[in-house]
Amino acid sequence: MNYVYVASVADVQPGKMKAIVVESKEILLVNVGGQIFAMQRFCPHAGADLCAGKIVDSKVICPKHNAAFDLATGEAVDKAKLLFLKFPTKRTETYRVKVENNSIFVEA
Ligand code: FES
């Protein structure tokens, strides 16, 4: 498995996100309580930028229709919503992360 250096830990403070590109894949780094996660940046429902979403516990909430994605598994633990309707929502891709000497590496 090939890991690529993407950022310093100081670049993604706890409770923050950072958009990166790894080998043409748009990826979102998320720091939850010091643990770094990596998932696809754009929402699988209708393409919203999850970087503009919110972190709630270990999930990212999409800014457009409020689907919630588990950072560890990518599963949509809450579906996309519009008014009182809910829509089928695919999971996001997730990527393995390694942290060494304050450097973040993501599986390429
Ligand atoms: S675009 Fe993300 S939930 Fe619709």
Side-chain angles (χ1 to χ4, degrees), residues 8-18 29-37 54-59 71 102 104:
S8 161
V9 170
D11 295 334
V12 195
Q13 295 294 314
K16 300 290 184 190
M17 300 189 256
K18 179 180 178 64
L29 293 179
V30 184
N31 185 332
V32 178
Q35 186 171 1
I36 308 290
F37 296 91
K54 287 186 290 191
I55 304 167
V56 176
D57 300 325
S58 58
K59 297 169 289 208
L71 281 161
N102 292 317
I104 302 169

Side-chain angles (χ1 to χ4, degrees), residues 43-48 50 62-67 69 80-81 89:
C43 182
H45 174 239
L50 295 173
C62 178
K64 197 163 185 181
H65 306 115
N66 296 307
F69 300 98
K81 296 171 276 302
T89 309

Side-chain angles (χ1 to χ4, degrees), residues 19-56:
I20 59 168
V21 178
V22 177
E23 297 190 354
S24 75
K25 289 180 256 181
E26 298 271 1
I27 294 176
L28 186 62
L29 293 179
V30 184
N31 185 332
V32 178
Q35 186 171 1
I36 308 290
F37 296 91
M39 71 165 32
Q40 91 184 41
R41 177 177 173 185
F42 294 100
C43 182
H45 174 239
D49 188 350
L50 295 173
C51 200
K54 287 186 290 191
I55 304 167
V56 176

